[in-house]
Amino acid sequence: MKAVVLHAYGGPGNLKYEDVADPVAGEGQVLVRVTASSVNPIDYKVRSGAMKQYIPLELPAILGWDISGIVREVGAGVTGFAPGDRVMALGNKAYAELVVVKAADLAPVPEKLDLVEAAALPLVTLTGEQLITRGTKIQSGQTVLVSGAVGNVGRSAVWTAKKAGAVVLAGVRKSQMEEAAELGADEVLALDDSAAVGRLGLIDAVADTVGGETAEMLLGKVKQGGMFASVLGPPGNAKMHPTVKIQAIQVVPDARMLKILAEDVVAGKLKIPIDRMVPLADAGEAHAAAEKGGIGKVLLLA
């Protein structure tokens, strides 16, 4: 099969499109013919070597966590899936024509969801959902602020918190206020407006997708006994706020929840914007584009 292989840490040009051996589905696994994957910030952070202390690679390596495609073969002991099924998953080694996935991590793609567009969903929707449910543990009637709310993880966190019955504040930049108004949050707050942030009282929880100085500032807005959950680890000033519970979130596969979130997307309740679709062979160019920033996902077509 063809795959995109990283032989050494570094820039996007280190991603090489080449022939590798086909993977084989073992017990409890499914072989998927990949239709699409997507580029996430974690992909280029891992590629550059910035994350090697936390996510070390055994080089050469195949990157990619988002998978959508068609079941090619099922391994021993697998039930519930058959060749030809449309599926999606949070897996690994997704920058390839074929990938092996644990059957337990596979979710069916809803009938009305485009198979290519399904590749935009697994990592960001599950991360946002788990940031709320495993991180903030927000309850109905409580108030949570989601930083980076127009980002794809942020959007998913806002939607999950609203479903839980929380009062949701969408934290964004001033330039994003109009776009954020479409998220369905109870209030939109410009985090780069010191006067607006100054008027914010103490809240029950923060769901952080931004980190840095913004996270440090927002930690001071969480009431005693409240929760600060982040996908970027504890803020630098965490020791200054010993009465706030801090929870770092690293996403894990959840096929049941992925199916629910995909159905929410089909219903128009959650939107994950797509910026562009490029051939898998051009993964290096896709990484370069994604690193420039923006809201929409970059999909890789296998």
Side-chain angles (χ1 to χ4, degrees):
M1 69 170 181
K2 291 288 188 182
V4 174
V5 182
L6 180 70
H7 291 274
Y9 291 118
N14 286 13
L15 295 169
K16 305 298 182 183
Y17 185 64
E18 57 193 41
D19 292 311
V20 300
D22 290 359
V24 177
E27 185 172 358
Q29 296 179 326
V30 174
L31 181 67
V32 177
R33 173 61 173 93
V34 178
T35 298
S37 184
S38 80
V39 179
N40 293 291
I42 188 67
D43 296 22
Y44 46 79
K45 291 176 182 177
V46 168
R47 184 213 70 227
S48 70
M51 296 290 291
K52 60 185 175 183
Q53 181 179 349
Y54 307 100
I55 307 177
L57 297 178
E58 185 175 327
L59 299 170
I62 299 173
L63 303 181
W65 279 266
D66 286 325
I67 298 162
S68 70
I70 304 292
V71 172
R72 176 72 64 86
E73 297 175 4
V74 297
V78 173
T79 59
F81 294 101
D85 287 352
R86 295 174 2 122
V87 293
M88 58 185 173
L90 176 63
N92 55 49
K93 300 183 179 181
Y95 290 6
E97 293 179 328
L98 296 168
V99 66
V100 166
V101 184
K102 291 180 182 178
D105 296 343
L106 272 183
V109 173
E111 183 179 343
K112 294 182 180 179
L113 180 61
D114 181 83
L115 188 57
V116 171
E117 295 180 2
L121 305 184
L123 188 141
V124 296
T125 60
L126 287 175
T127 301
E129 189 271 339
Q130 291 172 23
L131 182 61
I132 296 298
T133 58
R134 291 173 45 217
T136 68
K137 300 180 177 67
I138 202 73
Q139 301 295 311
S140 179
Q142 291 184 318
T143 299
V144 59
L145 185 148
V146 178
S147 66
V150 296
N152 295 307
V153 172
R155 289 168 179 266
S156 304
V158 168
W159 170 238
T160 299
K162 286 300 297 179
K163 283 206 293 186
V167 176
V168 182
L169 311 181
V172 298
R173 295 192 294 269
K174 283 185 281 190
S175 61
Q176 299 169 326
M177 294 285 283
E178 186 175 335
E179 185 176 9
E182 302 174 357
L183 297 177
D186 296 281
E187 183 180 338
V188 178
L189 179 68
L191 298 180
D192 53 353
D193 182 338
S194 57
V197 174
R199 291 191 294 270
L200 177 66
L202 294 180
I203 56 177
D204 298 293
V206 167
D208 171 49
T209 75
V210 176
E213 293 180 0
T214 299
E216 293 184 13
M217 171 187 67
L218 292 176
L219 181 56
K221 295 293 184 177
V222 181
K223 70 182 186 181
Q224 290 190 9
M227 294 292 300
F228 185 99
S230 179
V231 295
L232 296 166
N237 61 344
K239 292 182 179 179
M240 301 292 291
H241 299 273
T243 64
V244 176
K245 302 172 186 175
I246 297 176
Q247 180 70 53
I249 292 297
Q250 187 170 352
V251 67
V252 294
D254 185 340
R256 182 191 68 84
M257 183 52 64
L258 178 57
K259 181 174 183 291
I260 291 171
L261 292 165
E263 289 168 347
D264 289 341
V265 169
V266 171
K269 298 174 181 177
L270 170 63
K271 181 180 180 182
I272 303 299
I274 295 172
D275 179 74
R276 68 187 74 184
M277 303 179 186
V278 300
L280 180 63
D282 296 332
E285 295 175 21
H287 269 229
E291 283 185 89
K292 291 178 181 177
I295 300 303
K297 294 293 297 274
V298 178
L299 301 187
L300 298 173
L301 309 184

